[in-house]
Amino acid sequence: MAKKAIREKELFEFLHAAGCREVTENDKSTEWYKKASKKPACLKAVHKEKLHR
């Protein structure tokens, strides 16, 4: 039978093997992080419409 659930440890091992890493405080001050963490404009527009109804 196939596994039904992925354990947290297995997920972290997979991500690490794929080249992912945790974001450090130094990374948060870089331009790529600021651009990558910025919310897309389409999400902001939807949120504003819901507030005005």
Side-chain angles (χ1 to χ4, degrees), residues 4-47:
K4 291 186 179 180
I6 297 175
R7 291 192 169 84
E8 183 179 4
K9 182 180 177 184
E10 294 170 339
L11 181 60
F12 282 125
E13 288 173 357
F14 174 79
L15 292 173
H16 181 71
C20 296
R21 62 179 176 83
E22 283 192 48
V23 177
T24 62
E25 289 297 320
N26 291 337
D27 291 334
K28 291 181 180 181
S29 63
T30 59
E31 289 299 317
W32 72 265
Y33 179 82
K34 291 177 183 177
K35 188 172 185 176
S37 62
K38 189 176 179 182
K39 290 184 181 178
C42 62
L43 290 179
K44 293 178 185 176
V46 171
H47 182 67

